[in-house]
Amino acid sequence: MDITSLLLLGLAALGIISSNSPITIAMVVLLLIRVLGLQQAFPWLEKYGLTVGIIVLTVGVMTPLASGKISLQTIGQSFLHWKSLAAIGVGVLVAYLGGRGAALMGSQPTIVAGLLIGTVLGVALFKGVPVGPLIAAGILSLLIGRM
C-alpha cells in the first residue's frame, strides 16, 4: 500500500475515532477510488467536487424554506431582531470569506494540504464540522494578503 493510501486510511481512522461520518465516508470513497483504479475521476472531482458539495450543502440549508417550515413571514421578521440581523451579517461575512478561500485554494494548491489537516484536526479534536477549509482559506487570504 502506498503512502497516499495510508494517509487516507489514517484520516478515515481519525474520522472514526472522532465519530465524524462525513470525514470517514469522504476518506473511504477516495481510498476506494484509488484501490479500484478509478483515478480518472480525480481530475473531475478536483474541478467540480467543491461546486457539487456547495450545491448539496445549499440544498440542505434551503430545505426548511422549500418545505414550508420557514415561512416568508418568519424571514421578514428576521430583519426586526438584533440576533437575526447579526446572523445576516455573519452570513454575509462567511460567504465573502468562502469566496476568497475558494479563490486562494484554486491559485495556491500547496495551501490546501495545511487547510485540510487543520480541518480534520478541528473535527477530530474539537467536535467541529468539516466545512472549515473554505472559511479557513478565506481568513488565511486576509492574513497573507492574497486572493
Side-chain angles (χ1 to χ4, degrees), residues 9-83:
L9 196 57
L11 291 171
L14 261 179
I16 292 168
I17 291 167
S18 64
S19 300
N20 193 297
S21 343
I23 289 288
T24 305
I25 292 168
M27 295 309 119
V28 169
V29 166
L30 292 171
L31 190 57
L32 282 173
I33 290 171
R34 287 182 61 80
V35 170
L36 297 174
L38 301 173
Q39 282 84 352
Q40 67 270 20
F42 287 135
W44 187 90
L45 287 171
E46 285 180 37
K47 187 172 182 179
Y48 300 110
L50 185 59
T51 301
V52 171
I54 290 171
I55 290 168
V56 171
L57 183 61
T58 303
V59 167
V61 168
M62 296 303 291
T63 298
L65 179 65
S67 70
K69 286 186 179 178
I70 296 178
S71 68
L72 214 47
Q73 180 183 3
T74 304
I75 291 172
Q77 289 174 344
S78 70
F79 290 97
L80 303 175
H81 194 275
W82 75 268
K83 288 181 182 178

